[in-house]
Amino acid sequence: MPDSAMSTQQAAAAANQRPEIFHPREVSSDFGVVEKPLTTWEKICDNNAVRKIFILVVLAIIWEVYARAVHNELLFPTFSATVKAFFVAIVSGGLIQKAWFSIHVLLIGYAAGLALAALLTILAISTRLGRDFLETITSMFNPLPAIALLPLALLWFGLGTGSLVFVLIHSVLWAVALNTLAGFQSVSATLRMVGRNYGLSGFRYVFAILIPAAFPAILSGLKIGWAFAWRTLIAAELVFGVSSGSGGLGWFIYENKNELDIPSVFAGLLTVILIGLFVEHFIFRLIEQRTIRKWGMQE
């Protein structure tokens, strides 16, 4: 080995053994904060329910301030007057009875609409003719407002629950069927092949592969159908009032409007809003948490 190479290696070894070169060991305190516990305020702000309650409180304050500025209870009652009328109607029992009547009719129409939507969707994914039929009939009747069919429903089914159920089915059917069909069509070919490779077929294939993969679209259809049905029911009750000797929330609003009890009218509207918030943020949110969020399909 040449002397120059030997001297280079010895110099490098000597450099590595120089006592003045010191490599201190890093301690954890020298690094930045990796994980910091949240403060109480940050925990409160991070709570989804708290943020939404804050929004509702702000809206209530704006309502109260604006109504006091208008200073005309016949045009726009205050939030406090509306809440007072709301609790008076609850104590008297009239509001609870009418709310339950509306919910009862809604559940009947909603369930019937879901059943028909499921039947049409099964036909659509089974045969090409069924898909063409669903697409054609949906394009015909989906743009038609359900409340526009109410005069025909009154002629066919009379002044009763049957007319309400008919218009509710129309409100629910097309939105749910369209979203369910779109969800099934969006299932990737890879997932379909996985199901076939596992030997799945028939109902096992549908419930194990197609429905879980398409469930985000199905759930959107359920939400849209619920919203359409709820507002259609209130509008129908406002149009023809009582049904079979009783009435729902729409009739409660109509009665108090005729008596110029505007705080009670707003109390009826507030009840409609509260029921809608409960269904949207409790029932459907619970379904989301137990399904698509648990499966990692939605954050």
Side-chain angles (χ1 to χ4, degrees):
M1 182 179 292
D3 294 338
S4 60
M6 289 282 295
S7 60
T8 302
Q9 291 179 357
Q10 291 175 355
N16 290 332
Q17 298 175 0
R18 288 173 58 186
E20 64 270 18
I21 299 178
F22 176 69
H23 298 282
R25 172 170 247 163
E26 300 290 346
V27 294
S28 60
S29 59
D30 294 333
F31 295 97
V33 177
V34 178
E35 183 177 358
K36 179 183 177 182
L38 296 176
T39 64
T40 303
W41 176 251
E42 289 173 337
K43 289 179 181 179
I44 293 174
C45 294
D46 194 52
N47 192 303
N48 188 35
V50 172
R51 294 198 306 270
K52 291 184 177 180
I53 291 174
F54 173 75
I55 293 174
L56 293 177
V57 170
V58 171
L59 292 176
I61 293 173
I62 294 174
W63 178 354
E64 182 75 19
V65 171
Y66 177 75
R68 289 183 181 274
V70 173
H71 195 61
N72 190 338
E73 196 171 84
L74 286 177
L75 292 180
F76 203 87
T78 61
F79 178 75
S80 56
T82 301
V83 171
K84 180 180 178 181
F86 175 77
F87 283 107
V88 169
I90 288 179
V91 171
S92 66
L95 185 59
I96 295 178
Q97 181 182 358
K98 286 176 168 49
W100 170 244
F101 178 85
S102 295
I103 293 173
H104 176 69
V105 175
L106 177 68
L107 292 177
I108 296 174
Y110 192 69
L114 293 183
L116 289 175
L119 179 61
L120 289 177
T121 306
I122 291 173
L123 292 175
I125 64 176
S126 301
T127 63
R128 188 174 299 177
L129 181 62
R131 183 181 62 192
D132 293 340
F133 173 76
L134 178 59
E135 291 176 352
T136 302
I137 197 170
T138 300
S139 62
M140 292 170 56
F141 291 107
N142 193 34
L144 188 64
I147 199 67
L149 297 177
L150 186 58
L152 291 177
L154 293 175
L155 290 175
W156 294 341
F157 304 103
L159 189 64
T161 305
S163 301
L164 294 175
V165 172
F166 177 78
V167 295
L168 289 177
I169 290 174
H170 176 81
S171 300
V172 174
L173 175 58
W174 314 117
V176 175
L178 272 180
N179 279 270
T180 304
L181 179 61
F184 284 150
Q185 290 176 336
S186 65
V187 178
S188 65
T190 304
L191 283 176
R192 294 176 184 271
M193 287 189 293
V194 168
R196 298 300 185 189
N197 290 337
Y198 273 95
L200 299 178
S201 61
F203 285 105
R204 290 184 61 198
Y205 174 72
V206 172
F207 284 98
I209 300 297
L210 293 183
I211 290 181
F215 201 74
I218 296 174
L219 187 59
S220 296
L222 294 177
K223 289 181 178 181
I224 295 172
W226 148 258
F228 284 176
W230 186 227
R231 65 190 187 187
T232 298
L233 175 63
I234 301 302
E237 289 178 345
L238 280 168
V239 170
F240 73 89
V242 297
S243 174
S244 302
S246 60
L249 283 173
W251 181 243
F252 176 84
I253 295 170
Y254 185 78
E255 274 186 319
N256 287 284
K257 186 267 296 181
N258 289 338
E259 296 173 2
L260 294 180
D261 188 359
I262 307 305
S264 294
V265 172
F266 274 71
L269 296 174
L270 181 63
T271 306
V272 174
I273 294 172
L274 291 177
I275 293 175
L277 288 174
F278 174 78
V279 173
E280 179 70 25
H281 293 282
F282 182 77
I283 296 179
F284 283 121
R285 182 62 58 86
L286 183 63
I287 296 174
E288 284 181 357
Q289 292 175 349
R290 297 292 179 87
T291 55
I292 54 180
R293 292 192 179 185
K294 184 178 179 181
W295 301 336
M297 304 174 70
Q298 186 182 78
E299 295 183 358

